[in-house]
């Protein structure tokens, strides 16, 4: 059975001290909560990774980075490699977030490089796809998502693809308070699973966790997660408030 996951993407928020407090509060909750087939992932900024890893129970909470370099190592001042991230104790990594695509010119070919480097370094990619508002309104969204998947991740062999999580994050829903309706989310998740099935077969498609992201909060999580192809959420703003994030976990 595929894993259900709630992941908190803290983006460029919190200092280390506040990040530790937030992680502790979520860990306190998780220590008394039966997660069964569910998983919690926290994705703090790079600077916090090893401190947060030490704060959380690895049986309950995994830690993720939000990005990594497209190169293995060397003279790339300011970059952080997949190997460094893995050595911090993180096991997951967000790749291809729309903010990386939009502000840092990360395109599908670069993202595929990153995905391969992550897997080589034992990190599980949370690979993000999502269409812009104009692409949604002009009915191009299926086409856009297909291209992001084909160019960004479908170059992997089956064994490696089996280690990947997909996150569908419509760009128009990120940080806008305008969430996709459960029907819109389900429509896209079902389509993504169909594409995975065509490429890798039905067994792998049914095992792949597909998260929804974009203004997911304590009020809408339950209805979104109730959709058959929505396996949890990648949460931004609402993951910065322990109580709200905990309510989202309970909605799984
Ligand atoms: P918000 O939940 O703040 O809309 O952000 C979603 C997101 O980008 C998670 O990666």
């Amino acid at each position: 059975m595929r894993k259900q996951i709630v992941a908190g993407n803290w983006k460029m928020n919190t200092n280390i001290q506040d990040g530790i407090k937030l992680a502790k509060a979520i860990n306190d909750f998780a220590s008394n909560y039966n997660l069964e087939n569910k998983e919690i992932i926290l994705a703090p900024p790079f600077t916090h990774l090893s401190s947060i890893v030490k704060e959380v129970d690895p049986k309950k909470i995994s830690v993720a980075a939000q990005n990594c370099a497209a190169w293995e190592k060397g003279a790339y001042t300011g970059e952080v490699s997949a190997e460094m991230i893995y050595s911090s104790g993180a096991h997951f990594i967000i790749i291809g977030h729309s903010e990386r695509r939009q502000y840092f010119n990360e395109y599908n070919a670069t993202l595929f490089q990153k995905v391969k480097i992550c897997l080589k370094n034992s990190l599980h990619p949370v690979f993000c796809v999502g269409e812009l508002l104009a692409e949604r309104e002009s009915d191009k969204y299926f086409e856009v998502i297909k291209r992001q998947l084909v160019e960004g991740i479908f170059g992997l062999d089956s064994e490696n693809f089996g280690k990947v999580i997909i996150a569908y994050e419509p760009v128009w829903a990120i940080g806008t308070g305008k969430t996709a309706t459960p029907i819109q989310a389900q429509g896209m998740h079902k389509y993504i699973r169909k594409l995975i099935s065509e490429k890798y077969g039905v067994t792998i498609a049914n095992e792949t966790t597909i998260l929804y992201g974009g203004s997911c909060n304590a009020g809408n999580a339950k209805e979104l997660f109730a959709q058959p192809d929505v396996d949890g959420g990648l949460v931004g703003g609402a993951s910065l408030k322990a109580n709200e994030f905990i309510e989202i976990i309970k909605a799984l």
Side-chain angles (χ1 to χ4, degrees):
M1 203 168 108
R2 59 181 177 259
K3 266 230 153 113
Q4 289 184 298
I5 298 175
V6 170
N9 175 10
W10 295 2
K11 308 193 180 183
M12 198 174 73
N13 292 297
T14 72
N15 58 30
I16 296 185
Q17 291 73 25
D18 291 342
I20 287 174
K21 273 189 217 152
L22 179 55
K24 264 189 173 159
I26 295 159
N27 193 60
D28 284 351
F29 156 77
S31 62
N32 298 310
Y33 189 74
N34 183 5
L35 283 164
E36 291 163 40
N37 188 41
K38 298 165 188 165
E39 186 154 359
I40 302 170
I41 301 178
L42 302 180
F46 285 136
T47 42
H48 306 19
L49 285 174
S50 46
S51 312
I52 304 275
V53 164
K54 286 190 204 105
E55 287 303 328
V56 299
D57 175 354
K59 292 198 281 305
K60 297 275 184 166
I61 297 179
S62 298
V63 177
Q66 300 172 15
N67 177 38
C68 72
W71 307 276
E72 298 259 8
K73 63 156 95 173
Y76 300 102
T77 302
E79 288 290 276
V80 176
S81 73
E83 187 189 1
M84 293 169 191
I85 292 164
Y86 186 74
S87 72
S88 76
H91 291 124
F92 291 86
I93 179 157
I94 299 171
I95 295 289
H97 192 281
S98 65
E99 287 148 19
R100 301 293 317 169
R101 294 175 188 261
Q102 187 180 349
Y103 305 132
F104 303 96
N105 300 322
E106 293 192 1
Y107 300 113
N108 295 334
T110 309
L111 298 174
F112 186 50
Q113 277 304 111
K114 292 191 178 195
V115 163
K116 284 188 289 186
I117 290 175
C118 290
L119 288 162
K120 202 172 153 193
N121 286 282
S122 310
L123 290 168
H124 295 272
V126 179
F127 187 76
C128 302
V129 294
E131 80 283 359
L132 304 169
L133 182 60
E135 293 163 341
R136 166 67 52 178
E137 286 175 343
S138 57
D139 287 336
K140 292 216 173 80
Y141 44 99
F142 285 130
E143 203 180 299
V144 169
I145 301 307
K146 182 174 183 181
R147 187 161 180 193
Q148 290 174 348
L149 289 168
V150 168
E151 295 181 0
I153 201 135
F154 278 5
L156 293 176
D157 59 23
S158 303
E159 193 191 335
N160 275 309
F161 188 82
K163 298 171 184 162
V164 167
I165 294 164
I166 303 292
Y168 169 56
E169 299 204 304
V171 180
W172 47 270
I174 296 178
T176 57
K178 194 178 160 192
T179 184
T181 64
I183 289 169
Q184 285 173 321
Q186 169 57 21
M188 184 56 82
H189 284 227
K190 190 175 173 195
Y191 175 69
I192 293 171
R193 205 175 301 285
K194 175 175 145 287
L195 294 177
I196 298 170
S197 176
E198 285 165 7
K199 172 75 188 167
Y200 294 104
V202 68
T203 307
I204 289 184
N206 284 335
E207 285 296 314
T208 304
T209 297
I210 308 177
L211 305 179
Y212 169 79
S215 298
C216 183
N217 58 39
N220 60 29
K222 206 162 187 72
E223 217 188 333
L224 285 163
F225 300 168
Q227 302 304 310
D229 288 293
V230 178
D231 307 314
L234 179 54
V235 185
S239 73
L240 296 169
K241 295 169 239 153
N243 287 344
E244 178 149 22
F245 191 63
I246 287 166
E247 288 308 310
I248 297 173
I249 296 166
K250 288 186 190 161
L252 260 190

